[in-house]
Amino acid sequence: MVFFLFQVLVGLIMVHLARLLMKNYHGGHVAIRFALGGCANRPYFRIVAAYNKRARDGKYLEQVGCYDPLPNSHNEKIVGLNIERLKHWIGCGAHVTKPVEKLLGFSGLFPLHPMTITNAERLRKRRALEAPATSQEETPSD
Amino acid sequence: MAAPAGGRFGSGLMLPALRRCWAPLRRPPLLVPARGRKSRFDPPAKSKAGRVKLPPPVEPAELLVVAERYRLYRLVLHALRTEFKEEVMQKSREARLAKEYGKEAMEEHQALMAWNDAENARLRKKREERLRREEEELQDRKLQGALNHARLMEEFLKQKEQEVLQLQEEARNFITPENLDERIQECLDNPRNYNFAIDKEGRVVKRSVLS
């Protein structure tokens, strides 16, 4: 009987102490970003909604997708996205980091990122400059 | 080139980036390297003695293009964020109302909203119909007014022409300095008597003693 009462009391106290053990953030915000996992020479990213000040691979609020940067046997890079939860977090005011923005631009949820277009243009220009240079090198050698 | 471009874009973030075009000429080399294996009190290595670190070069034309792309991108993103926020609000509102009032009340509310929308659509159609008819009538009246005006102008011009022709006709009989002598002679040669007598029955007598 006494033991039972003691257990009830401890339960009540721990309920109120647990709130104090939780981390309180001041002025932080939620960010949707990459959390790196995998092994040596084998990266793997989880797209994660986490508080800004948390460690990169630390405790997160919710996993919202995944991204495998290494291409598979069909030369594809796999990306998984939970669009509904993404929309929910962005509607709650989460910030989105640049790599995630670029991925979402490729997926179609966001428009294509400006730097994606700019880098593609720069690459094209560089290849156009290199192609005549190499052809000029080949023809005198012949 | 930076000054005129900076005049319009300088208020944004472009002017600092534009300054990087002249960075190789103007900026002093950075002396504090980024942290890594060494702490901030360790001296830099001897191989890095004459190293000059410069930021990446920037082309002004490309920068303008990229700035415009970013502006449009941020516009779209802001709109998307507003949209998602609205969805979240809607969901939370529905959950709260469902918890408070129950499912039947929610369905009734939805039915009423649908009815309201239908009413609005119907009234809008009526209003648009009325406006279109009024517009047409206005156009008709304007046209009529223009035609009337044209007709009146035509009549006025015709009248004036008539008057001018009449005057020209009368001008033939005017007395001018050239005709003066002839006319005087004519008048003196043909004396005219304007006297006449009339009685109460209305019988006129032109012949008199003087003529």
Side-chain angles (χ1 to χ4, degrees):
Chain A
M1 176 69 176
V2 170
F3 184 64
F4 172 72
L5 285 170
F6 175 69
Q7 272 196 326
V8 164
L9 206 61
V10 162
L12 283 169
I13 291 167
M14 286 317 287
V15 157
H16 293 288
L17 282 178
R19 275 280 143 184
L20 298 171
L21 288 170
M22 270 174 63
K23 174 106 177 147
N24 289 320
Y25 287 99
H26 166 71
H29 54 86
V30 176
I32 300 176
R33 60 190 188 187
F34 284 160
L36 179 63
C39 304
N41 293 320
R42 207 309 176 206
Y44 181 81
F45 295 104
R46 280 168 296 150
I47 304 171
V48 132
Y51 279 116
N52 183 35
K53 293 297 179 187
R54 280 276 181 195
R56 182 194 68 193
D57 299 335
K59 190 165 158 191
Y60 49 80
L61 297 160
E62 187 184 355
Q63 185 182 349
V64 170
C66 57
Y67 167 56
D68 181 6
L70 300 183
N72 66 2
S73 51
H74 304 286
N75 211 19
E76 301 161 342
K77 292 186 190 175
I78 311 278
V79 175
L81 295 167
N82 189 349
I83 299 288
E84 206 202 298
R85 294 306 297 169
L86 260 176
K87 287 210 268 195
H88 174 266
W89 279 115
I90 298 175
C92 293
H95 294 206
V96 183
T97 55
K98 240 193 303 187
V100 179
E101 267 185 358
K102 289 188 173 165
L103 267 189
L104 290 172
F106 281 124
S107 78
L109 187 67
F110 284 7
L112 210 54
H113 194 86
M115 286 324 283
T116 316
I117 307 173
T118 315
N119 288 334
E121 275 179 3
R122 284 177 186 165
L123 189 66
R124 218 179 254 190
K125 265 188 245 173
R126 221 178 306 137
R127 283 197 185 144
L129 283 172
E130 277 167 22
T134 49
S135 64
Q136 272 178 13
E137 281 171 17
E138 280 170 14
T139 41
S141 70
D142 292 339
Chain B
M1 167 100 183
R8 190 154 79 82
F9 298 110
S11 59
L13 297 167
M14 271 188 43
L15 194 49
L18 273 175
R19 286 203 213 110
R20 291 199 284 169
C21 306
W22 278 264
L25 309 173
R26 279 214 319 226
R27 267 181 72 160
L30 299 164
L31 295 167
V32 179
R35 295 292 108 216
R37 192 177 56 86
K38 298 187 178 183
S39 82
R40 70 189 315 164
F41 308 106
D42 294 333
K46 274 184 275 204
S47 60
K48 307 278 184 282
R51 183 161 179 241
V52 174
K53 279 203 283 186
L54 300 166
V58 166
E59 288 168 44
E62 200 192 34
L63 184 68
L64 285 169
V65 167
V66 168
E68 181 61 24
R69 280 188 193 143
Y70 262 113
R71 190 183 69 84
L72 295 169
Y73 179 76
R74 283 186 190 130
L75 208 68
V76 176
L77 230 58
H78 185 71
L80 278 174
R81 257 194 278 268
T82 324
E83 184 72 36
F84 295 156
K85 206 182 297 203
E86 184 60 41
E87 278 182 23
V88 167
M89 287 287 166
Q90 178 68 20
K91 257 190 263 183
S92 75
R93 213 183 303 138
E94 275 183 15
R96 185 171 49 85
L97 288 175
K99 207 170 59 162
E100 275 192 49
Y101 296 125
K103 211 172 282 214
E104 296 87 16
M106 293 289 291
E107 279 165 17
E108 197 188 325
H109 176 77
Q110 270 173 359
L112 286 172
M113 288 295 281
W115 181 85
N116 192 24
D117 286 336
E119 270 296 306
N120 280 348
R122 185 177 68 85
L123 289 174
R124 184 169 65 231
K125 219 167 50 172
K126 253 172 93 176
R127 182 173 54 237
E128 274 171 9
E129 183 65 38
R130 175 174 58 85
L131 284 173
R132 198 179 49 78
R133 236 181 298 127
E134 277 181 4
E135 183 77 28
E136 271 178 28
E137 276 170 25
L138 193 70
Q139 289 298 323
D140 279 338
R141 253 181 272 137
K142 271 194 180 171
L143 192 68
Q144 284 301 315
L147 286 171
N148 264 1
H149 186 71
R151 193 165 45 80
L152 286 170
M153 285 304 292
E154 245 190 73
E155 279 179 18
F156 177 75
L157 285 172
K158 237 188 274 182
Q159 201 182 10
K160 287 300 172 201
E161 256 196 68
Q162 285 281 326
E163 285 181 9
V164 164
L165 284 168
Q166 186 137 13
L167 222 83
Q168 277 179 349
E169 284 278 336
E170 287 172 8
R172 259 188 255 141
N173 293 339
F174 282 173
I175 301 176
T176 64
E178 294 89 18
N179 300 4
L180 190 64
D181 294 328
E182 293 169 12
R183 287 298 192 93
I184 291 172
Q185 203 56 41
E186 201 187 302
C187 285
L188 288 172
D189 288 338
N190 315 336
R192 286 194 59 177
N193 184 17
Y194 294 99
N195 299 327
F196 69 97
I198 187 165
D199 66 359
K200 287 204 177 131
E201 276 82 48
R203 289 179 293 188
V204 173
V205 174
K206 288 240 164 108
R207 200 175 53 120
S208 74
V209 178
L210 285 165
S211 63

